[in-house]
């Protein structure tokens, strides 16, 4: 097929009408009836403490309180990759905000009032917040039982320490590589914690009926994974995957924060305590900061050696990740990021260590970019600094070292087909990288910066996605998948894929929101893998249905199946131009024969896929062997910005990003995602600044003090660019890009800030305050890091 | 606490209900009246997802007590959509001005007020008007385009 009818077209979103009329139902919009109960969680005021006693008697006396539960009611562990977390704290708490007890009451006000009456006696323990402190020999050990925790085979926990996972990557001879180098740049970079800030806070409703069936309604990216993890945890109470059902309506943003399991398991557990009542747990905005995953704080020590001609000879780095007290998901961020911590460069000699470290800050985990935003800030800052030291253009330096198809990755596998160099060139051209611009305002300076990016979907090697597709009497289609529409426009793209194959326009295709009872298995909507993998499953389901359509027509009308094709919702035949049979005439009712019998079947299709070439089994000392990543999506971002030299305030004049999407299935939704992700990247670079005090308390868990961009903070101009080097195993050549668009923005801004005013900011965020103070004091480098408390308070 | 009876116009219909003096309008709309387009996003007026029109003026329903609307008129997104989509809603569709859609009800209400007061705003005026409505998905560009485009139809 040379020209597509629906693929590559700016098809409108299929959820548009729901969302502009307020008809779109999110979990909190569902009416659960008058029997609904509300939970209020009693949270730890200490970052690390022993629980000596819990007295719930006063709370239980409050009229309207139905039940009060504590950890003793649910001594069950859970975790996606490592089981290191309880539903409620058992004998100790490990972060401020940890769930200690819950009051279930008939209305939220009563629950809140009674929760204040739960008396918990604690014995504070020494806490640790700085990952570098946490790995010292005398640091308080946060999980004394770490060595016994079940985990996936690609985790390497160090029992008796706070190192939950240590990923080592070794390739070539790094000492020899540095000896060959003409120039070496060594420095430290710091990335703070960040919050997802979905507009919809986490919410879950659990309900156990009198038949013992547990239903969960959740704002989730992971209905099947949540069902499985909840079933695993609640097995002692008799729950299995079969008698747990999870329903996910529209979700008000995810960005990784609604992946895995966080608070959903609380709603599930509480429902088991009050059979017959739905129980709602909804996070307030401040709880959202504490009790869902944040992005991890990272301290990176990075050393890169280069020849005079620009070739990188060696790279050595150690990343110290602050994962918080539970790493059941977050350690995989460290794992994925470390394997790719070279950035998209072909480097012969590599030594990389990623340490996932327990601390007493709230738990951290997946966030748009899955560790790549963090590793790429240091790499891409370093690349521009080295290029400048060599007197080269940052563009040329990246092009010399940029990885090409077939080049060996850090772990030995070959790089996939990609358009990295084209992306770098297109972005550099778009912002006229090499042309210096002067501001008309003498108080202001203009700077330009560029950064490359790559990212692979981080997922277990046996991830599987599936799709069902069924025709209706009018020839319309319902597609059932369990991938989540969290805003990315996936359902529209799934409809386009089926539309292309079955010749039914997307507006006649509904894609149904997940219900684990009815929609087939999908691992999680994460890793920007859905267009690629679920897209393949939907394509297979559509091909399956098409095969059945042709089979029916062949049996009824004797046309050879090879001669049949679909066009404009009709079956047509290459050998009989006069033949056309509308789908609606037979996809349910069949085709009548001369004798009055029928040939046909209700047309349904199914498609399922597993990545059978991936393997996470590698040498633990080198990461060689195996094939942990299916492929990479690459790209580049560039900014032109203007800085007020007195206030340090940054204004972005132009932002260009080029992503190699393989095939742009829907350029309009891609453009929307690119701009949205770029602004999220700007947010982490310029505005978001989480402050945590020396006791581990977040000082700004709200939008008044934790600033995310408004409409007034966006660049004057966006230049979205899509490069299309086809992915050989992608649907119509496509690969994912949703997380990627955030990755290059922060380092591109850091590079542009230095270009404008000569100040290198090595610790995010790059706030106006940091720039202004550096300019005031004549500092060329800023490594102040406001977020981490510098002194540890002994309890 | 002693309950109060309030009467107000909700999306064109007269409603009389009983509320507690400290009940928040947003929660009353959502839980007592089944009006779920206004969303809870922050509970303190920062994000704008709960924006409704009070006598035609956009307000944060999470910052208003239900008793305060006694005798007044409240319009939510449900009220705009009753008969047919407004040009603004059509424009939101045309420009793909939402992703997760959670901010859309508040955003559309704020923009509705803007276009009523100022039918032909400049881009800067649009940005200023919606700056109290946070969106984490779109980067605002498509929303601004939709509002500017809709303004041509007024």
């Amino acid at each position: 097929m040379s020209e597509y009818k629906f693929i590559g077209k700016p098809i409108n979103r299929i959820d548009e009408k729901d969302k502009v009329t307020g008809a779109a139902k999110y979990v909190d919009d569902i009416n659960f009836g008058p029997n609904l109960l509300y939970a209020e969680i009693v949270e730890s005021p200490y970052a690390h403490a022993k629980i000596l006693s819990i007295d719930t008697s006063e709370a239980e006396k409050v009229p309207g309180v139905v039940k009060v539960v504590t950890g003793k009611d649910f001594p069950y562990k859970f975790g996606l990759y490592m089981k290191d977390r309880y539903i409620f704290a058992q004998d100790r708490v490990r972060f401020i905000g940890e769930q200690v007890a819950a009051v279930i009451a008939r209305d939220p006000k009563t629950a809140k009032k009674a929760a204040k009456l739960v008396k918990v006696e604690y014995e504070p323990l020494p806490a640790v917040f700085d990952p570098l402190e946490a790995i010292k020999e005398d640091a308080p050990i946060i999980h004394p039982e770490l060595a016994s925790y079940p985990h996936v085979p690609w985790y390497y926990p160090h029992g008796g320490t706070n190192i939950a996972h240590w990923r080592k990557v070794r390739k070539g001879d790094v000492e020899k590589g540095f000896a060959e180098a003409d120039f070496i740049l060594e420095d430290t970079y710091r990335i703070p914690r960040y919050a997802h800030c979905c507009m919809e806070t986490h919410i879950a409703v659990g309900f156990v009926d009198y038949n013992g069936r547990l239903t969960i309604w959740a704002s989730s990216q992971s209905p099947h994974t949540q069902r499985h993890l909840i079933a695993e945890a609640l097995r002692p109470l008799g729950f299995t995957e079969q008698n747990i059902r999870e329903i996910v309506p529209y979700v008000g943003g995810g960005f990784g924060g609604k992946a895995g399991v966080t608070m959903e398991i609380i709603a599930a557990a509480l429902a088991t305590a009050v059979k017959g009542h739905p129980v709602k747990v909804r996070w307030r905005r401040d709880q959202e900061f504490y009790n869902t995953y944040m992005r991890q704080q990272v301290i990176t020590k990075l050393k890169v050696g280069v020849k005079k001609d620009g070739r990188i000879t060696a790279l050595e780095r150690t990343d110290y990740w602050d994962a918080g007290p539970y790493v059941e998901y977050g350690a995989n961020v460290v794992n994925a990021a470390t394997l790719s911590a070279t950035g998209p460069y072909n480097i012969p000699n590599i030594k990389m260590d990623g340490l996932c470290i327990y601390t007493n800050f709230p738990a951290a985990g997946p966030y748009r970019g899955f560790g790549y935003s963090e590793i790429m800030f240091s790499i891409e800052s370093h690349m521009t600094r080295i290029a400048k030291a060599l007197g080269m253009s940052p563009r040329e330096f990246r092009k010399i070292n940029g990885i090409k198809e077939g080049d060996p990755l850090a772990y030995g596998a070959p790089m996939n087909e990609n358009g990295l160099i084209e992306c770098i060139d297109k972005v550099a051209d778009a912002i006229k990288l090499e042309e210096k611009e002067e501001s008309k305002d003498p108080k202001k300076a203009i700077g330009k910066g560029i950064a490359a990016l790559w990212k692979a979907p981080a997922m277990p090697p046996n991830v599987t996605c599936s799709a069902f597709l069924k025709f209706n009497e009018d020839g319309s289609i319902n597609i059932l998948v369990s991938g989540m529409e969290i805003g990315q426009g996936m359902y529209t793209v799934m409809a386009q894929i089926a539309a292309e194959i079955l010749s039914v326009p997307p507006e006649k295709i509904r894609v149904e929101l997940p219900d684990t009872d009815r929609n087939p298995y999908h691992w999680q909507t994460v890793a920007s893998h859905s267009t690629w993998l679920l897209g393949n499953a939907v394509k297979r389901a559509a091909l399956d249905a098409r095969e059945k359509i042709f089979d029916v027509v062949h049996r009824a009308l004797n046309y050879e199946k090879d001669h049949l094709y679909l066009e404009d919702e009709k079956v047509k035949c290459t050998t009989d131009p006069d033949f056309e049979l509308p789908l609606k005439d037979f996809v349910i009712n069949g085709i009548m024969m001369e004798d009055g019998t029928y040939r046909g079947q209700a047309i349904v299709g199914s498609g399922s896929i597993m990545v059978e070439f991936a393997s996470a089994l590698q040498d633990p000392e080198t990461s060689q062997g195996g094939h942990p990543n299916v492929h990479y999506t690459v790209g580049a971002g560039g900014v032109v910005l203007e800085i007020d030299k007195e206030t340090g305030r940054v204004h972005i004049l132009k932002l260009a990003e080029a992503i190699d999407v393989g095939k742009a299935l829907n350029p309009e939704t891609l453009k929307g995602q690119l701009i949205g992700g770029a602004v999220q990247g700007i947010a982490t670079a310029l505005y978001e600044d989480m402050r945590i005090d020396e006791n581990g308390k977040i000082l700004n868990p709200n939008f008044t003090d934790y600033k995310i961009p408004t409409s007034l903070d966006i660049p004057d101009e966006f230049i979205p660019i899509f490069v299309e080097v086809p992915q050989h195993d992608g649907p119509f050549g496509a690969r994912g890009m949703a997380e990627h668009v955030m990755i290059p923005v922060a380092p591109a801004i850091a590079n542009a800030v230095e270009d404008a005013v000569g100040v290198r900011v090595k610790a995010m965020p790059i706030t106006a305050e940091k720039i202004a103070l550096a300019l005031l004091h004549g500092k060329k480098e800023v490594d102040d890091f406001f977020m981490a408390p510098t002194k540890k308070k002994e309890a | 606490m002693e309950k109060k009876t309030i009467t107000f116009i909700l999306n064109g219909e007269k409603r009389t209900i009983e509320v507690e003096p400290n009940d928040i309008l947003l929660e009353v709309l959502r839980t007592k009246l089944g009006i779920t387009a206004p969303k809870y996003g922050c509970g303190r007026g920062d994000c704008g997802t709960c924006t409704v029109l009070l006598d035609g003026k956009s307000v944060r329903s999470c910052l208003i007590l239900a008793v305060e609307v006694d005798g007044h008129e409240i319009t939510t997104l449900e009220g705009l959509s009753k008969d047919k989509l407004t040009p603004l809603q059509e424009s939101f569709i045309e420009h793909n001005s939402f992703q997760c859609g959670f901010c859309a009800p508040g955003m559309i209400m704020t923009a509705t007020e803007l276009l009523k007061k100022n039918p032909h705003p400049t881009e800067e005026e649009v940005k200023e008007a919606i700056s109290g409505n946070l969106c984490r998905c779109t980067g605002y560009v498509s929303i601004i385009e939709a509002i500017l485009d809709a303004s041509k139809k007024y």
Side-chain angles (χ1 to χ4, degrees), chain B residues 17-28:
Chain B
I17 54 164
E18 231 181 29
V19 296
E20 290 189 13
N22 63 353
D23 278 346
I24 302 295
L25 176 62
L26 172 67
E27 293 303 330
V28 168

Side-chain angles (χ1 to χ4, degrees), chain A residues 97-328:
Chain A
E98 182 158 6
Q99 297 78 22
V100 173
V103 174
I104 306 167
R106 296 211 172 268
D107 66 86
K109 284 180 193 161
T110 303
K112 201 170 178 182
K113 190 170 117 190
K116 290 194 180 123
L117 301 174
V118 174
K119 292 191 194 78
V120 187
E121 205 186 336
Y122 297 96
E123 180 191 319
L125 294 167
V128 61
F129 303 109
D130 183 333
L132 297 177
E133 293 288 327
I135 53 171
K136 287 186 177 162
E137 274 197 9
D138 59 347
I141 299 300
I142 296 171
H143 287 270
E145 311 296 322
L146 170 62
S148 68
Y149 291 168
H151 59 80
V152 289
W154 62 88
Y155 272 17
Y156 305 109
H158 287 232
T161 76
N162 286 321
I163 300 172
H165 173 46
W166 187 336
R167 167 57 64 185
K168 298 176 184 177
V169 183
R170 307 284 184 269
K171 190 182 107 178
D173 181 342
V174 79
E175 292 311 321
K176 191 168 142 270
F178 282 119
E180 286 169 3
D182 296 317
F183 174 72
I184 293 172
L185 181 66
E186 194 170 356
D187 217 327
T188 300
Y189 298 87
R190 291 165 185 268
I191 316 285
R193 283 173 166 246
Y194 287 104
H196 300 74
C197 301
C198 302
M199 285 301 107
E200 181 200 32
T201 60
H202 278 62
I203 178 164
V205 175
F207 174 62
V208 177
D209 64 24
Y210 292 109
N211 191 30
R213 184 138 163 67
L214 168 60
T215 305
I216 302 152
W217 292 262
S219 175
S220 166
Q221 296 177 238
S222 315
H224 279 92
T225 287
Q226 289 187 347
R227 180 184 70 157
H228 174 56
L229 295 182
I230 290 167
E232 274 191 336
L234 300 183
R235 285 243 209 274
L237 296 177
F239 289 97
T240 63
E241 279 78 355
Q242 198 198 357
N243 60 19
I244 299 179
R245 174 185 185 189
E246 182 155 331
I247 297 169
V248 183
Y250 282 122
V251 169
F255 312 118
K258 290 171 181 168
V261 167
T262 57
M263 53 85 79
E264 303 78 14
I265 201 165
I266 298 171
L270 295 182
T272 68
V274 286
K275 246 185 188 180
H277 290 273
V279 186
K280 184 184 281 190
V281 185
R282 182 178 85 179
W283 280 165
R284 285 184 288 274
R285 182 53 64 183
D286 60 330
Q287 291 173 304
E288 188 73 12
F289 278 81
Y290 282 100
N291 272 308
T292 62
Y293 300 118
M294 277 191 264
R295 201 165 103 176
Q296 300 179 32
Q297 172 188 180
V298 195
I299 298 162
T300 299
K301 294 187 174 171
L302 177 62
K303 182 180 171 186
V304 173
V306 290
K307 301 286 280 180
K308 276 186 200 141
D309 64 5
R311 286 256 24 137
I312 300 174
T313 58
L315 177 147
E316 183 176 349
R317 68 182 296 158
T318 307
D319 292 87
Y320 302 90
W321 298 78
D322 144 36
Y326 301 108
V327 307
E328 46 89 19

Side-chain angles (χ1 to χ4, degrees), chain A residues 468-705:
Chain A
F468 293 157
L469 181 152
K470 64 189 179 83
F471 270 92
N472 302 307
E473 292 87 336
D474 59 352
S476 66
I477 293 172
N478 289 45
I479 295 175
L480 283 76
V481 292
S482 294
M484 264 320 299
E485 175 57 68
I486 54 175
Q488 77 281 52
M490 184 179 82
Y491 284 7
T492 310
V493 167
M494 293 305 134
Q496 282 176 264
I497 290 172
E500 192 65 45
I501 290 168
L502 293 169
S503 83
V504 174
E507 58 269 23
K508 284 195 175 173
I509 301 178
R510 289 187 69 90
V511 185
E512 302 296 342
L513 290 154
D515 169 341
T516 57
D517 266 10
R518 283 150 206 180
N519 295 27
Y521 185 85
H522 182 101
W523 172 62
Q524 303 190 80
T525 301
V526 298
S528 302
H529 80 289
S530 295
T531 295
W532 173 66
L533 203 60
L534 185 61
N536 270 317
V538 169
K539 193 176 163 197
R540 286 181 181 189
L543 290 171
D544 185 32
R546 190 176 72 177
E547 184 64 23
K548 287 171 180 159
I549 288 168
F550 291 165
D551 187 60
V552 167
V553 175
H554 167 68
R555 286 195 289 124
L557 305 172
N558 250 333
Y559 287 111
E560 287 300 319
K561 278 161 76 171
D562 287 352
H563 296 160
L564 297 173
Y565 65 98
L566 297 174
E567 193 175 76
D568 299 332
E569 302 174 71
K570 297 180 189 91
V571 185
K572 295 185 180 178
C573 182
T574 52
T575 54
D576 179 359
D578 295 331
F579 171 71
E580 53 175 54
L581 182 62
L583 291 171
K584 67 177 168 47
D585 288 359
F586 73 95
V587 285
I588 296 294
N589 295 323
I591 300 168
M592 193 171 82
M593 310 296 287
E594 281 182 0
D595 65 356
T597 61
Y598 283 82
R599 299 291 175 271
Q601 65 180 102
I603 301 295
V604 295
S606 71
S608 187
I609 188 165
M610 180 180 281
V611 182
E612 293 184 343
F613 60 85
S615 163
L617 297 182
Q618 299 166 289
D619 175 7
E621 293 304 317
T622 65
S623 290
Q624 297 303 310
H627 200 305
N629 288 324
V630 290
H631 61 251
Y632 289 84
T633 296
V634 301
V639 295
V640 182
L641 53 76
E642 191 173 48
I643 301 179
D644 184 313
K645 289 183 275 186
E646 281 174 9
T647 64
R649 193 173 155 75
V650 174
H651 177 71
I652 298 181
L653 303 168
K654 197 178 278 189
L655 186 147
E657 262 202 64
I659 310 282
D660 177 8
V661 296
K663 171 76 188 169
L665 300 183
N666 186 331
E668 197 59 28
T669 51
L670 283 177
K671 189 179 128 200
Q673 252 184 17
L674 188 150
I675 291 172
V679 170
Q680 212 168 354
I682 292 169
T684 59
L686 298 179
Y687 302 114
E688 294 181 43
D689 195 1
M690 191 177 292
R691 301 299 177 100
I692 298 182
D693 78 5
E694 59 188 18
N695 296 315
K697 186 175 175 203
I698 304 170
L699 297 169
N700 53 350
N702 58 67
F703 291 148
T704 315
D705 304 310

